[in-house]
Amino acid sequence: MRRRRSRSSGLMEKYTSDGGLTLTSMMDILTTLLFFVLKSYVSGGEVTVPPPGVTLPRSSVNADMHTSVVVAIDHDSIILGGERVATVHDAVASDELMIAPLAQRLTEARQQMDDLDDKKGVKRETARLATIQGDADIEFRVLQKVMYTLDRNGFPDIALAVLKKA
Amino acid sequence: MRRRTQRKALKVNTDLKLMPLMNIIIALIPMLLLSAVFLEVKVIETSLPRDADASAAAAQPATPPLDLAVHVRANVYVVEGHGIDALLVPRRPGAPAPDSVATLQLAQALRNITAAHPDTHDVRIVAEAHTRYQEVIALMDVARAAGLVNAALEGAAPETAGGI
């Protein structure tokens, strides 16, 4: 009798858990997810988000973005460094290729960059890079005028921002 | 009896305490997902046609440069250059980008040209005022796929002035 009782109490001990959750498998899932999310972060080049209202065109190109002056063009405005400097309507209405308000702001930006280079004690760059974030639907004449204005105001190297095709 | 009680008291729970780690990870994952940028922004480096190119061309080398250009016209793309016959590819007017047939024909034409002139890497995309930006980018993609990696943008004649 005593032997039977001791055997049954041993089985009870073996099959009875303490009621805690088994978290190891969930930890595995979460750890994998964490690594995936960390890996999907952009680790190289410049990270940029187009301003609201700008849908970048899609392209198969694979070159990373570099730090530069950014000019965004949406349906209404031409934006330099996040600040609206001219309207598309005015730019299109003018017969001139140069967009005067944009040219003025670019000259100021260029001057600031040169001053910064002087303070750092490095040689001034003769040609600076500018990136255009244009909406896919804008007309070429607007892009043409922005590119011309950039070129004539010390930013002859121009990069066109696009979304990579899947 | 006393010995058995002592053995019970010394029993240690060796399970890892995972709850604090779980809490950290559960807080970290939504934060990373919210701040992650899943859109990959890339760039196409380009420039305007240079005056220096014109002066170099004026030096008149033994073989004149090809000066390859893809013109966007109302109903047609025109591929032309020095020493090659102009090639016309139908274009759907008002389309935001070349259709698949036009893309294939353009790609084939440009590949034939680069095969015949292996040193050619430059092309001018000559767009009209109302050409959509997406179409210009699509044409640059087609040219790049054919080996013409240096694409310069140029406005069509009526709006052109000062080298662009």
Side-chain angles (χ1 to χ4, degrees):
Chain A
M1 186 68 182
R2 183 185 288 173
R3 192 183 295 168
R4 192 183 292 169
R5 188 177 291 166
S6 76
R7 188 189 288 174
S8 73
S9 75
L11 280 172
M12 283 290 283
E13 225 168 68
K14 192 175 178 184
Y15 291 112
T16 307
S17 69
D18 56 355
L21 288 170
T22 309
L23 295 174
T24 315
S25 48
M26 193 167 175
M27 277 297 300
D28 291 345
I29 294 168
L30 289 177
T31 310
T32 311
L33 199 60
L34 186 66
F35 278 113
F36 169 77
V37 173
L38 283 172
K39 197 175 177 299
S40 67
Y41 255 62
V42 180
S43 56
E46 177 86 352
V47 180
T48 184
V49 180
V54 174
T55 309
L56 296 180
R58 294 196 171 267
S59 167
S60 57
V61 76
N62 206 18
D64 284 325
M65 201 169 167
H66 299 289
T67 307
S68 62
V69 163
V70 176
V71 180
I73 312 166
D74 63 16
H75 293 285
D76 304 321
S77 325
I78 297 167
I79 302 157
L80 175 66
E83 190 184 340
R84 181 177 155 156
V85 293
T87 63
V88 169
H89 180 265
D90 290 347
V92 169
S94 167
D95 290 336
E96 296 288 318
L97 272 173
M98 184 86 77
I99 303 169
L102 178 63
Q104 188 189 337
R105 300 303 298 269
L106 285 171
T107 309
E108 289 168 14
R110 172 80 205 219
Q111 188 61 47
Q112 283 176 357
M113 288 175 173
D114 287 346
D115 291 347
L116 206 61
D117 280 352
D118 290 345
K119 281 178 185 166
K120 282 185 193 167
V122 295
K123 193 183 166 193
R124 283 185 182 185
E125 285 182 39
T126 51
R128 294 199 184 266
L129 175 71
T131 302
I132 297 177
Q133 293 183 339
D135 189 278
D137 213 28
I138 60 168
E139 292 180 341
F140 180 72
R141 57 181 170 173
V142 183
L143 180 75
Q144 184 185 16
K145 289 187 175 192
V146 171
M147 285 180 72
Y148 181 82
T149 309
L150 284 167
D151 184 72
R152 295 301 150 103
N153 288 281
F155 296 90
D157 295 334
I158 297 167
L160 305 174
V162 292
L163 289 182
K164 189 172 163 55
K165 272 184 192 168
Chain B
M1 186 68 183
R2 193 176 165 195
R3 192 179 290 169
R4 190 182 289 175
T5 320
Q6 270 183 346
R7 195 179 293 168
K8 248 188 187 175
L10 286 173
K11 198 174 178 185
V12 179
N13 186 4
T14 54
D15 287 347
L16 288 171
K17 292 201 181 302
L18 294 174
M19 277 310 274
L21 192 59
M22 280 268 302
N23 291 337
I24 291 170
I25 290 178
I26 285 172
L28 208 56
I29 286 174
M31 197 191 77
L32 289 172
L33 283 173
L34 282 175
S35 61
V37 179
F38 292 104
L39 295 174
E40 273 195 273
V41 178
K42 301 287 179 183
V43 291
I44 302 175
E45 285 170 18
T46 186
S47 63
L48 301 180
R50 299 279 111 208
D51 291 341
D53 296 346
S55 62
Q60 289 191 348
T63 53
L66 186 60
D67 191 24
L68 187 63
V70 179
H71 295 262
V72 183
R73 302 266 164 81
N75 298 314
V76 75
Y77 298 107
V78 183
V79 181
E80 61 182 19
H82 294 308
I84 57 169
D85 294 332
L87 183 97
L88 308 181
V89 175
R91 172 182 181 244
R92 207 173 49 191
D99 56 37
S100 55
V101 177
T103 304
L104 280 174
Q105 288 179 336
L106 272 174
Q108 188 59 48
L110 293 176
R111 266 200 297 271
N112 290 344
I113 292 168
T114 49
H117 303 84
D119 295 335
T120 303
H121 301 292
D122 299 342
V123 64
R124 288 182 295 123
I125 310 287
V126 186
E128 290 187 321
H130 297 285
T131 307
R132 299 288 166 189
Y133 183 34
Q134 176 64 71
E135 187 169 12
V136 174
I137 296 291
L139 289 173
M140 291 174 100
D141 282 355
V142 172
R144 195 178 329 100
L148 301 162
V149 290
N150 302 326
L153 299 181
E154 198 174 318
E159 275 98 19
T160 54
I164 181 171

